[in-house]
Amino acid sequence: MLDLDETLIHFKEVDNSQTFLVRPYCHEFLREMSKHYEIVIFTASVKQYADTILDIIDKESSISHRLYRQHTRLE
């Protein structure tokens, strides 16, 4: 299980513009790890935001499962 924010990407705000940067070798890491492991991504972000980013960084469908804020619960 990997966290999306600050592990695979870095969110950046510059001059009132928001963007994200993909960590170096992220694509290669996902591709190689998917050969040996089932990759699960978690983010505390909302689904719409996360899916937009994950669709960009996971062109090869290396990620098996996506978990979002709504998958957590308070006890």
Side-chain angles (χ1 to χ4, degrees):
M1 180 173 280
L2 299 167
D3 180 44
L4 175 64
D5 302 302
E6 302 306 327
T7 302
L8 299 179
I9 64 153
H10 174 70
F11 185 78
K12 187 174 183 179
E13 190 170 345
V14 177
D15 299 329
N16 296 327
S17 177
Q18 300 175 347
T19 188
F20 70 93
L21 304 171
V22 179
R23 296 283 184 187
Y25 300 102
C26 175
H27 300 98
E28 293 85 349
F29 173 77
L30 291 173
R31 182 181 332 106
E32 288 302 312
M33 292 300 103
S34 70
K35 293 176 184 176
H36 307 283
Y37 304 99
E38 182 177 24
I39 298 176
V40 178
I41 301 294
F42 171 77
T43 181
S45 302
V46 295
K47 184 179 187 315
Q48 183 179 7
Y49 161 82
D51 279 343
T52 300
I53 294 171
L54 289 171
D55 289 344
I56 292 169
I57 67 172
D58 190 29
K59 298 277 188 213
E60 298 178 19
S61 298
S62 300
I63 298 170
S64 302
H65 303 286
R66 299 175 178 191
L67 299 175
Y68 314 94
R69 178 184 299 171
Q70 72 260 22
H71 293 109
T72 61
R73 64 185 178 136
L74 297 174
E75 290 193 27

